[in-house]
Amino acid sequence: MHFIRVASCLCSIFSLPLTTSAAPIGASSVHVQRVSTRAGFIPPWINSTTPNNGTIPADPQIFCRQETQKPIYTAGDNDTGGRGVVIWNFDPIHHNGNGTMFFLYESDHDFVPYKYINIPSLSFAFVTVCPTFRGRIVRGNYHNLNGKKHLLGTWAEMNWHVDGSSWGDISLLQGNDGAAIIQSLDGSQDIRGFTLDLLFSAPTSAWAQKPSGAWCLDKIIGADANNDTKTWESQFLDPSSVYLVDEIDPVIYSDNGRFQVTFYQGAV
């Protein structure tokens, strides 16, 4: 059964096409920081009573699927109110003939996606995840199915843990191929991300090319980080709303394990 839903009206590019009421970006009064794994800090998913002073994860990642397996294609999963994410494609351009493809990658499984979906423009779909999914959702196309790494672009990161807790954020550390926002659907109206199109007027020194040939903003992390990209993005974005620096983590939590991610016009 096909569960993609089409928007009944065309909202402003700066409005939020949410399935629940939402506060404007940055309206949250709580600045949540994901606890660093550097020395001196113990993340909340580490049991302090475990051996080696709590450095052994009590909640290790359990992969939903192995990279030797084919990725799961879905046309939209049945939303029964359980764990998962509502993905909104708010890009008016049909990148793949009929909308945009979105890929769910598990952490450390960068070559083969876990699931993928094509969503028509100005439509949304619900995608379920396994109980221990930890990874990202990204824009893409059929190049993402060629068995190679496709890291460049905006990441909507989400983690679920065995105790039922979950968190998410929008990260530009590995690139920026368009705006995106993430919202918790537990009634808290917590939201992070951005809606600004920073690609169109960016300096050429901040650009990088995706395997598809499309141009986006470069990565800002690692030995080959592009400082021009970071300088450009920092003029417009607040690190408490989007992941720009290593010291501040703009994370939101969802008590019911449900998120909504909206992708605006971008480079595929």
Side-chain angles (χ1 to χ4, degrees):
M1 184 176 292
H2 200 284
F3 289 100
I4 289 175
R5 299 291 183 264
V6 179
S8 60
C9 66
L10 304 185
C11 304
S12 163
I13 194 68
F14 292 106
S15 63
L16 306 182
L18 301 172
T19 54
T20 60
S21 59
I25 289 177
S28 174
S29 60
V30 180
H31 177 203
V32 183
Q33 290 196 350
R34 181 173 41 185
V35 180
S36 172
T37 56
R38 290 187 289 271
F41 295 92
I42 300 178
W45 52 87
I46 300 291
N47 187 340
S48 60
T49 63
T50 54
N52 197 22
N53 296 320
T55 58
I56 298 177
D59 183 14
Q61 180 169 0
I62 301 173
F63 290 106
C64 305
R65 202 166 178 84
Q66 299 303 315
E67 286 191 296
T68 55
Q69 298 175 283
K70 292 182 179 180
I72 301 169
Y73 172 76
T74 177
D77 299 325
N78 188 18
D79 187 357
T80 60
R83 176 192 316 105
V85 55
V86 176
I87 304 175
W88 258 96
N89 176 19
F90 218 55
D91 189 336
I93 299 175
H94 295 288
H95 294 282
N96 298 297
N98 183 30
T100 302
M101 296 177 73
F102 298 95
F103 295 82
L104 285 74
Y105 284 90
E106 296 188 80
S107 298
D108 298 322
H109 280 186
D110 297 326
F111 295 93
V112 179
Y114 159 52
K115 297 181 81 168
Y116 68 103
I117 185 172
N118 186 81
I119 303 178
S121 177
L122 305 174
S123 304
F124 68 90
F126 179 77
V127 178
T128 59
V129 294
C130 83
T132 55
F133 177 82
R134 303 180 190 179
R136 63 190 182 270
I137 302 176
V138 297
R139 299 174 180 86
N141 58 22
Y142 288 105
H143 286 86
N144 292 72
L145 300 174
N146 63 7
K148 299 180 180 179
K149 284 187 176 183
H150 297 274
L151 303 180
L152 189 62
T154 306
W155 289 16
E157 299 181 297
M158 280 157 283
N159 280 19
W160 280 264
H161 297 273
V162 293
D163 64 358
S165 64
S166 54
W167 59 261
D169 64 70
I170 299 297
S171 174
L172 301 184
L173 295 181
Q174 292 288 350
N176 178 350
D177 60 5
I181 57 173
I182 185 170
Q183 183 193 5
S184 172
L185 294 182
D186 62 0
S188 65
Q189 297 189 1
D190 282 344
I191 189 168
R192 294 293 188 275
F194 67 109
T195 61
L196 293 174
D197 181 357
L198 299 180
L199 278 62
F200 180 73
S201 56
T204 56
S205 58
W207 292 354
Q209 193 169 28
K210 302 177 76 170
S212 64
W215 289 87
C216 66
L217 296 183
D218 207 353
K219 60 183 289 189
I220 56 174
I221 192 174
D224 54 347
N226 190 322
N227 290 326
D228 289 345
T229 303
K230 188 171 185 177
T231 299
W232 171 254
E233 292 174 331
S234 298
Q235 295 179 62
F236 305 97
L237 302 178
D238 184 345
S240 65
S241 294
V242 62
Y243 208 4
L244 287 174
V245 295
D246 206 19
E247 295 76 20
I248 302 175
D249 299 325
V251 174
I252 61 172
Y253 295 86
S254 176
D255 290 336
N256 63 3
R258 292 169 61 84
F259 292 99
Q260 178 165 293
V261 176
T262 303
F263 288 92
Y264 295 88
Q265 185 170 337
V268 175

